[in-house]
Amino acid sequence: MSCNNTNTDKSLKSNTTTNLNQDIPVYDFNQFEPLIYTESDKTYLINFWAMWCAPCVKELPYIEQFAAKHPDVEVILVSLDFPKDIETKLKPFLKKKKISSKVVLLDDPDSNTWIDKIDPNWSGAIPFTIMFNKDERLFYERSFENLEDLENQINKLN
């Protein structure tokens, strides 16, 4: 199941449950793009989501469980919500849902361009997840059903 993003406003933010009052930076795609590539031996899980996307919200607890169980994997949640909602909606949402993973807000209205740069096969629907290391990239245009589903997919990386 996925949500099609009918608005073109995107945003990027950073958040932890230990410091919910921290500033959440907002990035355009050029500022964000370096986060989706690595030369290190680290494995990354990048999840594109929004508060208004029910399948996205449903899978967040699984991503949080995964992050807690696999501290060696860098987990970044990329919110596509509105920058104007960071203080009034996003931070309270993250606190209520006990989201402690790094959260960034991507705000780049030219989604037709940056979506293709991430994966030419991506329709733009969310949730969308990239799992990668320096050798391989996997793309998922669907929600994960549980922790085991996430682990099974990330184990496909070399």
Side-chain angles (χ1 to χ4, degrees):
M1 184 163 203
S2 64
C3 295
N4 283 317
N5 185 3
T6 53
N7 81 48
T8 55
D9 194 353
K10 315 275 181 255
S11 3
L12 174 72
K13 62 192 180 327
S14 177
N15 181 323
T16 65
T17 53
T18 55
N19 186 2
L20 288 172
N21 293 319
Q22 79 180 76
D23 289 335
I24 294 178
V26 176
Y27 297 97
D28 64 21
F29 184 74
N30 289 334
Q31 295 165 315
F32 169 76
E33 192 172 21
L35 295 178
I36 59 173
Y37 295 97
T38 186
E39 293 301 320
S40 75
D41 290 328
K42 191 169 208 131
T43 297
Y44 290 80
L45 184 154
I46 313 284
N47 177 261
F48 293 82
W49 69 287
M51 292 182 291
W52 49 262
C53 169
C56 300
V57 172
K58 183 180 178 190
E59 78 175 354
L60 285 174
Y62 311 134
I63 295 172
E64 282 296 294
Q65 289 171 2
F66 178 87
K69 191 174 172 184
H70 301 276
D72 53 316
V73 176
E74 179 85 18
V75 174
I76 302 174
L77 301 174
V78 182
S79 170
L80 301 179
D81 292 296
F82 293 110
K84 68 179 177 58
D85 293 334
I86 289 172
E87 295 298 325
T88 58
K89 295 180 183 173
L90 190 55
K91 284 184 178 181
F93 174 88
L94 295 169
K95 184 176 183 179
K96 179 181 175 190
K97 298 291 185 181
K98 297 180 173 63
I99 303 300
S100 60
S101 295
K102 179 177 182 178
V103 180
V104 296
L105 198 104
L106 181 57
D107 181 30
D108 193 322
D110 192 11
S111 57
N112 290 334
T113 299
W114 65 257
I115 285 170
D116 284 346
K117 288 179 181 175
I118 291 173
D119 179 7
N121 298 313
W122 181 17
S123 74
I126 54 175
F128 184 79
T129 303
I130 310 169
M131 298 176 184
F132 66 94
N133 55 31
K134 66 182 180 187
D135 301 317
E136 191 172 3
R137 301 175 81 73
L138 301 172
F139 301 96
Y140 299 91
E141 190 170 346
R142 66 174 180 88
S143 56
F144 292 96
E145 299 303 315
N146 51 45
L147 175 60
E148 183 182 13
D149 185 12
L150 259 173
E151 291 176 331
N152 288 341
Q153 299 312 312
I154 208 154
N155 287 337
K156 293 179 180 180
L157 289 173
N158 293 335

